[in-house]
Amino acid sequence: MKTAMLLVVTVLMLWQGIIWLGDMPPFLLPSPAAVLDALWINRAEIARHAGFTLAEVALGFTLGATLGAALAVAMGFSQKLTGVLRPILTFSQTIPVFALAPILTLWLGFGMAPKIAMTVLIVFFPVASAFLDGLMRTPQAALDLAQVMGAGRVRIMRHLRIPAALPGLATGLRLAAVYAPIGAVIGEWVGGARGLGALMIHANGRMKTDLVFAALLVLSVLTVIFAKAVAIALHRLLGRYGV
């Protein structure tokens, strides 16, 4: 805790020092005090936009994690399916997410749908990849013993492979929780009138750089809180399985 506070104080001092030494105008780099002032003055507006962004992140994360985990289980049942889909999943990550945002906005409109879709795309791959790796690393001796005892593929998946792969799933979910807000904000940047990303774009167009920084600060705090909430939920889930 002390280290974190020291780091924050150091960053703020460097920030203010750059402004003083470089004689930076406020529209290029506002002072920390100006950012806090903008945060307080626009607190109601920022809170409203933050609520929309958080809703998009939560929905996109839930849907993306569910789809990713479901695909990983389906691939875990079939090596042929894994051989076909795994290269496609890997190739899909070569496409910049930024490039898809305008297309999704064109297809889905300017509401929450394209922002949720962007979040799903960012969350889907790390969850599917990490969970699949966990499913594929089930100890062979345990699998052989289960088959000797007459357990079918479904029972083996449910009672052996999935519990053994939970740490891998947890890793993917923790990583996805950190990146999920990026998808929502990218969608808001491209098109939309609600959310912290849209607020940043509008404030930047009016040269209100202090408001841009204030929205960015709130986004960072929301990301930390969301990732922490996911980590706590995963800790409880893994605790039930004794992992």
Side-chain angles (χ1 to χ4, degrees), residues 1-9:
M1 186 64 179
K2 291 182 179 180
T3 303
M5 290 297 297
L6 180 61
L7 179 61
V8 170
V9 172

Side-chain angles (χ1 to χ4, degrees), residues 14-32:
L14 289 174
W15 182 353
Q16 189 64 59
I18 291 173
I19 295 174
W20 285 339
L21 295 176
D23 195 22
M24 303 289 289
F27 69 88
L28 286 182
L29 183 62
S31 67

Side-chain angles (χ1 to χ4, degrees), residues 54-72:
L54 184 59
E56 293 162 358
V57 171
L59 290 172
F61 178 84
T62 301
L63 184 57
T66 301
L67 293 175
L71 181 63

Side-chain angles (χ1 to χ4, degrees), residues 203-217:
N204 188 62
R206 302 194 303 269
M207 301 298 287
K208 292 186 176 181
T209 314
D210 53 352
L211 182 55
V212 175
F213 274 79
L216 183 59
L217 175 62

Side-chain angles (χ1 to χ4, degrees), residues 99-111 113-115 187 190-191:
L100 298 176
I103 298 175
L104 291 175
T105 301
L106 179 65
W107 288 347
L108 302 176
F110 291 91
K115 290 77 172 177
V190 173

Side-chain angles (χ1 to χ4, degrees), residues 124-136:
F124 178 82
F125 179 78
V127 173
S129 179
F131 195 22
L132 180 61
D133 286 343
L135 292 173
M136 294 302 181

Side-chain angles (χ1 to χ4, degrees), residues 222-238:
L222 282 181
T223 301
V224 171
I225 293 174
F226 184 76
K228 185 64 176 178
V230 170
I232 292 173
L234 290 172
H235 179 72
R236 294 178 178 177
L237 175 64
L238 296 177

